[in-house]
Amino acid sequence: MAVTDLFARRATLARSVRLLSEFRYEQPDPARFYGALAADTAAMVADLWLAARGEPPAGRTLLDVGGGPGYFAQAFAEAGVRYLGVEPDPSEMRAAGPGVARATHVRASGMALPFADDSVDICLSSNVAEHVRRPWQLGAEMLRVTKPGGLAVLSYTVWLGPFGGHEMGLSHYLGGERAAARYAHKHGHRAKNDYGSSLFAVSAADGLSWAENTGALLAAFPRYHPRWAWWLTSVPVLREFAVSNLVLGLSPQE
């Protein structure tokens, strides 16, 4: 069984439409948006683990790099997964407020994870790589702490995709610096995801090249697309614009 077989059955057009409809709630109702995203992510990781290992991930330890306020912790706890989050910003750990399941978080950078080699079963990074200057150093750290035969899932927003500009919208097609200046002029302050400081141009090609060179790549697919559109990942240039979020599934060699 290919590692994506189980998740491919879940990757329907109806799911894509449902997730896309949730994006409009990211700012006005983050609990709704991130709750839906967390549940979908937990299901994706569970499917990948089950396909690769032949058993559910319940009882396994997952390290979430850039785990944020706890929505993902809640989703994985419901799946029976032991959750541990890494977050450099303490305000993000408290951002969800009351009512969200608490989990163990470590304040640290994904660039230098304070964990031993081969210490977790699953390492996840969801929408973090585009926010760091050296995304493949983040990826290397994820592989380092993942046990041989375990699973590392690195998912990130592709810069030239429709959501690459984050709250700057489609103006990122004018160039990152210009889009950032335009946002600041319009809103009177810099964007939270500010090009050059907290948002960087990460391509699909660079991610695929890095993953293939590790020798650990199991699968690469567009996170929010229906299964019948996954072929877009294999087409140079087109994938930069058509793949909004790329998932790299990797497993260190046993």
Side-chain angles (χ1 to χ4, degrees), residues 6 14 96 145 224 250:
L6 292 176
V145 302
Y224 305 122
L250 308 102

Side-chain angles (χ1 to χ4, degrees), residues 136-180:
W136 315 127
Q137 181 178 331
L138 168 69
E141 278 292 278
M142 292 174 63
L143 287 175
R144 179 184 66 78
V145 302
T146 303
K147 295 177 182 178
L151 178 67
V153 180
L154 195 164
S155 172
Y156 67 94
T157 304
V158 177
W159 172 247
L160 287 177
F163 304 115
H166 287 58
E167 67 264 46
M168 293 186 299
L170 297 179
S171 65
H172 70 298
Y173 289 121
L174 301 174
E177 293 181 357
R178 188 174 180 182

Side-chain angles (χ1 to χ4, degrees), residues 21 29 54 58 87 106 130 145 195 223:
S21 69
D29 190 356
E87 175 59 53
V106 176
E130 69 267 28
V145 302
Y195 182 81
R223 182 171 180 176

Side-chain angles (χ1 to χ4, degrees), residues 61 63 114-122 143-148:
T61 300
L63 179 64
F115 299 94
D117 295 358
D118 310 336
S119 56
V120 300
D121 299 297
I122 305 168
L143 287 175
R144 179 184 66 78
V145 302
T146 303
K147 295 177 182 178

Side-chain angles (χ1 to χ4, degrees), residues 50-112:
L50 179 58
R53 299 297 295 268
E55 61 181 15
R60 298 291 180 171
T61 300
L62 178 141
L63 179 64
D64 185 5
V65 182
Y71 299 110
F72 279 48
Q74 186 165 310
F76 281 105
E78 291 171 358
V81 175
R82 294 194 296 267
Y83 179 96
L84 180 63
V86 169
E87 175 59 53
D89 184 353
S91 64
E92 283 293 316
M93 299 180 193
R94 302 186 297 269
V100 175
R102 294 302 162 199
T104 301
H105 278 83
V106 176
R107 184 181 179 187
S109 168
M111 301 294 101

